[in-house]
Amino acid sequence: MKAADAGRGTAVAESAPAPCAGLGRRLGAGVYEAMLLAAVALIVEFALLPLTRPGGAGPGAQSRLYVPSASARWLSLACLFFLFGV
């Protein structure tokens, strides 16, 4: 069945509804979304790095593993929760 295009007066074929996406396409979209969320999380954590690292690191501090304080970890969690939750 054809419908008339109101702007030009020409016949336009009605399109059938598109088929649903397959399992592979849906899984690929999920992986893509997960990679985007991971990239955003890394950007947020790099932006919070000056707020969560120790102020006066002594010599040799670069070779040691640093665990942020509890308040810095809560700040990081709150920022990520707000970003991903909203």
Side-chain angles (χ1 to χ4, degrees):
M1 188 147 113
K2 295 188 179 187
D5 186 8
R8 298 187 185 144
T10 58
V12 177
E14 292 181 12
S15 61
C20 292
L23 181 63
R25 185 174 292 240
R26 290 179 188 208
L27 288 176
V31 169
Y32 178 73
E33 291 289 331
M35 289 189 335
L36 286 178
L37 285 176
V40 169
L42 283 174
I43 290 170
V44 168
E45 291 300 323
F46 279 124
L48 290 175
L49 194 59
L51 300 175
T52 59
R53 69 176 182 185
Q62 296 166 347
S63 62
R64 285 183 270 149
L65 179 63
Y66 170 69
V67 177
S69 66
S71 62
R73 290 191 307 252
W74 278 108
L75 173 68
S76 177
L77 176 71
C79 287
L80 288 176
F81 181 78
F82 178 74
L83 181 71
F84 293 146
V86 172

